[in-house]
Amino acid sequence: MDVTFRFLLLFVATFLVAGLVKGVTGMGLPTVVVGMLGSVVSPVTAAAMLVIPSLVTNVWQLLDGPSFGALLRRLWPMMLAILVGTVASTALLVEGDSRWSGIALGGALVTYAAYALLSPSTTVPPRWERPLSPLVGLVTGVVTGATGVFTIPAVPWLQSLRLPRDVLVQALGLAFTVSTVALAIGLGQQGEFRLGQLGWSTAGIVPALVGMALGQSVRSRISQRRFRQFFLAFLILLGLELAIRALL
C-alpha cells in the first residue's frame, strides 16, 4: 500500500470521527472506518485495519454496563450464529469482485441509515425472539463477512427488543465484539490479516479511544437526536457514493 502524508491524515481523522460517533451513539465505528477508508483502499484492507480498534472499543462498551451475564444468557444463540455466519462468509469479502463489495457496502450503509432515520416503532413479540434470533444472527454474520459492516440486521433487531437504554448499548457492544472477533478469524483463515495490517490496526487504537472519550463528553452536551439525524444523513450520502462509484 502506498503510504502518503495525506493517507496518514485520513487514517487518523477516520478513527477519530469513528470513535466520536461511537462515543455519542454507541455504534458506528466499523461503518465509518470501512466507509471512509473504503474510498482509498479496498474494503478487505479497511476491514482488517478496523479489527483491533473495534475490539478494544467494543469490549470497553460491553464491560461498561449493568447486565452482561443476563444478556449473554439471553442472546447467546444470536451471537453464535453471528460467529458462524461471519467466519463462513468472509471469503466473499476477500475473493469477491471489489466492485460488488463496494455495491454491497453502499447498500448496507444506506439500508441501515434509512431504517434508523425513519425510526419505525417496531417491537418483537416475546414468542418470536428465540426462534428468530439465530436467523438474525446468521444474516448479520453473512453481511459482516461480505462487507465488514456489523450493523444489518443486528442493530434494528436489538432496538426492536425494547431493551433499557444502558442495556441496549451493552447488547450492541456484545454483538459488535463477537462480530469483530469473527471477522478477525475469517480474515486470518483467508490469509488477509497480515503483520502490516496488524500494525495499522494497532495504530488506530489511540485515535479511536480519544474520539470515543470525546463522544461520551459530547453526548451529555448536545441533542443526541439532532446529532443522530446528521450522522445518518451522512451515512446515506456515503453509501450512495460508494455504490455509484462501484457501478461506474
Side-chain angles (χ1 to χ4, degrees), residues 3-23:
V3 179
T4 64
F5 182 68
R6 182 179 177 182
F7 175 79
L8 290 174
L9 287 178
L10 175 63
F11 179 86
V12 172
T14 293
F15 279 99
L16 276 172
V17 171
L20 177 67
V21 169
K22 187 172 182 63

Side-chain angles (χ1 to χ4, degrees), residues 55-69 71-72 166-167 169-175 177 212 216:
L55 181 62
V56 170
T57 55
N58 285 324
V59 169
W60 179 1
Q61 180 175 328
L62 171 61
L63 297 179
D64 186 27
S67 307
F68 174 67
L71 275 175
L72 190 59
D166 290 344
V167 178
V169 170
Q170 191 174 26
L172 292 172
L174 175 61
T177 298
M212 190 170 178
Q216 290 173 335

